[in-house]
Amino acid sequence: MLISTKGRYALRVLIELAGYDRQQLVTLQTIADSQQISEKYLESIIVVLSKAGLVDAVRGKGGGYRLARKPEEYTIGEILKLTEGTLAPVSCLDDTPNKCPRAAECKTLPMWEKLNTIIGNYLYSVTLKDLIDPSDSGDFQI
């Protein structure tokens, strides 16, 4: 599994927004400047986050973006799944049930399935708050 810039930047955007009061609206330009991300590319990411309800978007003068929930209510798994489309380490795990014609005889499939479970369990156990303040996260280790 290779996380694209879209997934990594989405995490950076949400971490950036978490640094502001939840009622404060932050402009796209402010986020772009702070994170050193192209405003045009950032716009495509923020649209995805907004449509999925992860950020609130307010248009017009004085508008901007803010987190829709508390940082501890976001999992890294949900964010990456949204932006990447899949967290599966191999493409044959993208479909349920598995549509690979070799699935019944594949000797490596159980290994990939276990790896997929480990990845999912881990990423869905880490929250945005864990990334913001790892010292408050107890067992979480980066």
Side-chain angles (χ1 to χ4, degrees), residues 2-3 7 9 23 26 35 64 68 71 73 81 89 121 128 131 139:
L2 184 65
I3 304 298
Y9 287 2
Q23 301 308 312
V26 184
Q35 292 299 315
E73 295 173 356
K81 178 116 169 79
N121 287 344
L128 198 56
L131 298 181
D139 293 335

Side-chain angles (χ1 to χ4, degrees), residues 6 9-11 13-14 17 42-56 65 68 74 78-80 82-83:
K6 187 175 184 178
Y9 287 2
L11 290 174
V13 166
L14 293 171
L17 290 175
L42 182 58
E43 190 173 327
S44 69
I45 295 168
I46 205 89
V47 165
V48 171
L49 297 173
S50 178
K51 283 184 180 178
L54 278 86
V55 297
D56 293 329
Y65 302 91
Y74 292 83
E78 83 173 301
I79 297 163
L80 292 178
L82 173 67
T83 56

Side-chain angles (χ1 to χ4, degrees), residues 39-113:
E39 191 172 350
K40 187 167 181 69
Y41 189 49
L42 182 58
E43 190 173 327
S44 69
I45 295 168
I46 205 89
V47 165
V48 171
L49 297 173
S50 178
K51 283 184 180 178
L54 278 86
V55 297
D56 293 329
V58 177
R59 294 196 170 273
K61 187 170 174 69
Y65 302 91
R66 63 180 169 224
L67 291 184
R69 308 184 309 240
K70 297 176 187 173
E72 59 269 24
E73 295 173 356
Y74 292 83
T75 69
I76 303 313
E78 83 173 301
I79 297 163
L80 292 178
K81 178 116 169 79
L82 173 67
T83 56
E84 299 298 322
T86 182
L87 299 176
V90 291
S91 61
C92 66
L93 296 177
D94 285 341
D95 297 317
T96 304
N98 191 318
K99 294 179 182 175
C100 177
R102 295 188 33 80
E105 66 231 19
C106 182
K107 299 292 186 194
T108 62
L109 184 58
M111 175 194 62
W112 296 126
E113 289 172 332

